[in-house]
Amino acid sequence: MKLVVLACLAAVATAAPQFPQNFNLQEASRPIAILRDERQDSGDGNFIYEFETENGIAVSARGSPGSQGQSNIQGVYRYPLPDGTIAEVRYFADENGYQPQSDLIPTSPPLPAHAIEQIRVAEEQRAQGITFQ
């Protein structure tokens, strides 16, 4: 029984939120003023909205009806990073899905030369009709 109680206490301690040493919970939970909030909705699927807060968060989007029943949206959002720089993500959302563009999004490293060569050989073999079972 003591082991179960000890395990429960350990689980609660582990699940507790972990904050950096310089994190101020009172500062983080205070209301943030909205400096700008503009919205337009035409009622036909076209819309525009923009808002900005006092802590540096900003969002802007423009939408229109898509050819396949979806909403086509083009927008950008920005927010401050802990180091003081501003993160920015530009995006498109349409029949091809959500397509973000940002320096923050990790990219895969380039393929090594031997992998590129193997792909080239495989494409040549496929073009010649060579198959493997």
Side-chain angles (χ1 to χ4, degrees):
M1 180 66 170
K2 290 179 185 178
L3 184 59
V4 172
V5 172
L6 185 59
C8 289
L9 288 174
V12 169
T14 305
Q18 304 295 314
F19 298 109
Q21 286 182 352
N22 61 349
F23 184 79
N24 183 336
L25 187 57
Q26 286 182 327
E27 179 69 22
S29 62
R30 76 172 178 82
I32 304 297
I34 296 175
L35 303 176
R36 185 168 56 104
D37 186 354
E38 299 175 13
R39 302 164 193 250
Q40 294 177 354
D41 187 347
S42 303
D44 59 358
N46 292 295
F47 65 88
I48 299 172
Y49 66 83
E50 296 180 353
F51 73 85
E52 184 176 351
T53 64
E54 70 177 328
N55 64 351
I57 297 172
V59 176
S60 173
R62 176 180 298 265
S64 62
S67 61
Q68 298 178 9
Q70 81 285 352
S71 289
N72 290 339
I73 303 172
Q74 178 178 347
V76 61
Y77 55 91
R78 296 177 192 87
Y79 56 93
L81 295 171
D83 66 1
T85 61
I86 301 295
E88 179 176 287
V89 178
R90 294 186 172 278
Y91 66 91
F92 298 93
D94 57 17
E95 63 275 2
N96 297 316
Y98 177 72
Q99 304 161 49
Q101 300 169 343
S102 174
D103 291 339
L104 299 172
I105 299 172
T107 58
S108 59
L111 290 173
H114 71 276
I116 294 171
E117 177 62 17
Q118 288 176 334
I119 292 169
R120 186 191 64 73
V121 168
E123 288 173 350
E124 283 180 6
Q125 290 174 339
R126 192 174 308 122
Q128 295 170 4
I130 298 172
T131 58
F132 298 94
Q133 295 181 357

